[in-house]
Structure formats: structure tokens, C-alpha cells
Amino acid sequence: MSFSWTPHRFAGGALALDVANSVILRFDAARSIDRFAEPAQLADFPQAATAFSAERALFGVLTPVEDENQPVFLALREAIDRHFRAEAEGQPSARLLAELLEAAAVLLRQARSPQSLEAQTVHSALRLLALPEPERLKICGHCGWLFLDRSKNKSRFWCDMAVCGNRAKAARHYRRKKGEPE
């Protein structure tokens, strides 16, 4: 399946969350798609992140994940998702934090370049761990992606207004028109 990396794919607000969100519909096993399962998609991700990630000013031009680091990078992605999803759900776990830190340490020891996607993903995850307002970390009510709510009153329900927000509002409008309860 062919994808393109668009700005919407970087709606997480942090590189680590964008990496975790590379699994589409993670909560629906029948429809879930791992964008990094295709080597070309993983190879193209650093260039797109350099262009679209909210943290791009912090890391500059990213280099691709080294072949030997790919399995550990994917393990880091899953550890990021598990830990921050639990945090967003208000269920912090010392075990999940330990898994995240272990994966991060392994990758930092193996990364050859500080500009590599894997090294900068670790740095992004560590910045998220130090987030001064952890309640800004949320899960999109439509697609299930993790995102940082940077709205003034911390009231966002979806990762991206242009896609998930529009879909949610359209669905609500449709239900109202049909007289269905919300």
C-alpha cells in the first residue's frame, strides 16, 4: 500500500508521538496499518519529519534509522505508545516507564549520529517525560492518535481539526439531522 507523508501525519505535536502514530487505527486490529512495515515508508519518514514535525526546529535535518537499529527503533515506538497512552488515560505505570527508558538507552548507545531519527525520537520522548503540563497529552477521540493539546484552554478532543475534527463534526451533524442522540 502506498502512502505519502503529509502534514496531518505529524499532528502529534512531538516527534516521539508522530513516530508512535505511525500505526494507523492501532485500536482496531482488523483495520490497523503499520506504516513502518514497508521499508520505503520508514526510509521516507525522516525527510517528512524534517519538513512537518512540530519539533523540527529542535533537531534539524534527520537521517534515516540505521538498518541494524530498526528492530530496536520499532520497540521504542511501541514503548512510547504504551507509556504515553497510559499517561493520557490517567494510568501511569512504573513498568511502562522503565520499558521506555530501557529502549531509549539501547538506542542512544547504538545510534551513530545525533541527527538520526532514532536518537532524536529518544530526545523527543525524554522532553515529553518532562512535560510541565502532563494533562496536555491526549488521545484523539476519532482516530486514537496521541497528541499534545496546545489550545489555550486545553479543550481539544482531536489530533487535527482539518481531518479528525471535521469528521467528528460531520458525524455529529449527520446524527442531529437524523434525530439520533449524540
Side-chain angles (χ1 to χ4, degrees):
M1 183 175 269
S2 179
F3 295 99
S4 61
W5 293 108
T6 61
H8 165 67
R9 301 293 177 196
F10 294 87
L15 180 63
L17 299 180
D18 296 331
V19 167
N21 293 338
S22 65
V23 177
I24 300 167
L25 299 173
R26 183 181 288 272
F27 57 87
D28 184 349
R31 299 180 352 190
S32 182
I33 300 169
D34 180 354
R35 299 227 20 213
F36 290 164
E38 282 191 42
Q41 292 297 313
L42 180 55
D44 291 345
F45 186 84
Q47 182 179 4
T50 298
F52 302 128
S53 177
E55 293 182 320
R56 64 187 172 274
L58 298 174
F59 54 70
V61 177
L62 293 173
T63 60
V65 176
E66 312 243 351
D67 289 344
E68 63 272 10
N69 289 348
Q70 286 181 7
V72 183
F73 177 71
L74 295 177
L76 173 69
R77 175 187 67 180
E78 297 308 308
I80 288 169
D81 184 77
R82 283 189 302 272
H83 171 75
F84 289 111
R85 192 168 295 279
E87 289 285 324
E89 292 172 341
Q91 300 172 350
S93 164
R95 181 185 56 78
L96 294 177
L97 175 60
E99 287 177 12
L100 172 58
L101 294 174
E102 287 171 23
V106 168
L107 268 177
L108 286 178
R109 283 189 209 103
Q110 293 178 353
R112 293 188 189 141
S113 165
Q115 290 310 115
S116 67
L117 175 60
E118 59 267 39
Q120 288 302 317
T121 300
V122 168
H123 290 293
S124 177
L126 294 176
R127 282 190 294 275
L128 284 172
L129 288 174
L131 193 64
E133 298 177 282
E135 67 276 7
R136 291 202 178 267
L137 182 65
K138 296 187 177 177
I139 301 170
C140 180
H142 189 262
C143 70
W145 279 1
L146 293 165
F147 71 96
L148 288 176
D149 178 0
R150 298 196 191 278
S151 67
K152 196 173 191 175
N153 62 0
K154 305 173 196 162
S155 63
R156 263 178 56 197
F157 291 106
W158 40 75
C159 61
D160 183 13
M161 180 59 203
V163 179
C164 290
N166 273 347
R167 289 178 181 161
K169 287 182 173 187
R172 186 175 64 209
H173 175 75
Y174 178 77
R175 284 191 305 273
R176 283 183 184 160
K177 283 286 233 190
K178 289 193 70 160
E180 295 176 8
E182 289 186 41

